[in-house]
Amino acid sequence: MTNTYLILTKAVYEGKLPSKLKTADRLSWNEYTYKEISKKATRKVDKYSFYPSEDNTKAEIKSYMDDCDVDYSSSDTKAELLEKLMSEPHSVPKKDEEYTYTESVVDKTTLQNPSWQECAFKQGKLGAPRWNKDNTKVLVKYELAIADGTHAQVSAISGVTALSHSECLAEMKKDEWSGE
């Protein structure tokens, strides 16, 4: 990219961009509309709503211990089961649970068709404009690619003059631009 300064007539500045520049990575931009969609997913949740205690039945404690892979004897008392459960490292048993959630996704993408002026002020994609004394021309800074032909296409537009940095400095010294 090379820094290029463009002198645009007022009509060109207020008019639409050339087609070569109407891409989102240049001077234009995309606007999006979204829609909500429902999706399903699975997550792990606790299998039991309790941690075994004296309040649980012997069968509930054994079921919990089976899911935790904690060994016990069928003849163990409730107190012995709880003691074995407390002394043995284990994880809380989990089960899969399916749930539904909503997600915003892009429904429609619309490439905008802005004017040069909208590019400068709405999106800040051009340098700040500088008007001449009689407000018939405006000077803006922009980086134009030379390799892809953008520079040549923009330079060919009637009402557009492309200048290098040194040419821009020389132009700004003219009476037409002074006094601002």
Side-chain angles (χ1 to χ4, degrees):
M1 296 288 215
T2 180
N3 285 335
T4 303
Y5 295 83
L6 302 175
I7 296 177
L8 309 166
T9 63
K10 184 176 183 177
V12 169
Y13 185 66
E14 292 171 352
K16 299 299 180 186
L17 291 174
S19 60
K20 182 84 173 174
L21 297 178
K22 282 187 227 169
T23 58
D25 61 334
R26 290 274 183 189
L27 292 173
S28 189
W29 58 90
N30 288 325
E31 286 189 0
Y32 306 95
T33 57
Y34 295 88
K35 65 180 176 180
E36 299 289 321
I37 60 168
S38 291
K39 290 189 173 186
K40 291 186 183 241
T42 304
R43 62 182 168 206
K44 295 283 188 188
V45 296
D46 290 347
K47 184 174 182 178
Y48 299 95
S49 61
F50 62 88
Y51 187 81
S53 69
E54 287 290 334
D55 296 336
N56 298 104
T57 65
K58 196 171 171 180
E60 289 173 330
I61 297 170
K62 284 182 179 180
S63 177
Y64 191 96
M65 291 175 77
D66 287 340
D67 287 335
C68 293
D69 293 327
V70 175
D71 294 329
Y72 61 89
S73 171
S74 60
S75 62
D76 285 342
T77 65
K78 191 190 282 192
E80 290 171 329
L81 290 172
L82 291 171
E83 186 179 320
K84 286 181 179 180
L85 184 62
M86 294 298 197
S87 65
E88 188 75 28
H90 64 277
S91 298
V92 174
K94 302 285 184 185
K95 67 178 180 179
D96 286 339
E97 176 184 80
E98 191 174 90
Y99 65 99
T100 304
Y101 64 97
T102 58
E103 184 177 324
S104 290
V105 294
V106 174
D107 183 35
K108 186 177 177 186
T109 303
T110 306
L111 181 63
Q112 299 303 297
N113 187 20
S115 66
W116 288 93
Q117 185 174 16
E118 289 171 319
C119 293
F121 290 108
K122 245 186 173 172
Q123 298 296 320
K125 294 187 175 190
L126 291 173
R130 182 164 181 181
W131 289 90
N132 67 350
K133 284 182 180 179
D134 62 2
N135 287 330
T136 57
K137 295 182 197 172
V138 64
L139 177 91
V140 292
K141 180 180 177 183
Y142 180 59
E143 292 181 359
L144 293 174
I146 294 184
D148 72 356
T150 303
H151 187 273
Q153 184 178 3
V154 171
S155 297
I157 298 171
S158 176
V160 176
T161 306
L163 306 170
S164 67
H165 182 73
S166 59
E167 291 170 326
C168 176
L169 293 175
E171 178 69 25
M172 295 303 293
K173 289 179 182 176
K174 294 181 180 176
D175 283 343
E176 153 180 36
W177 298 95
S178 64
E180 291 186 4

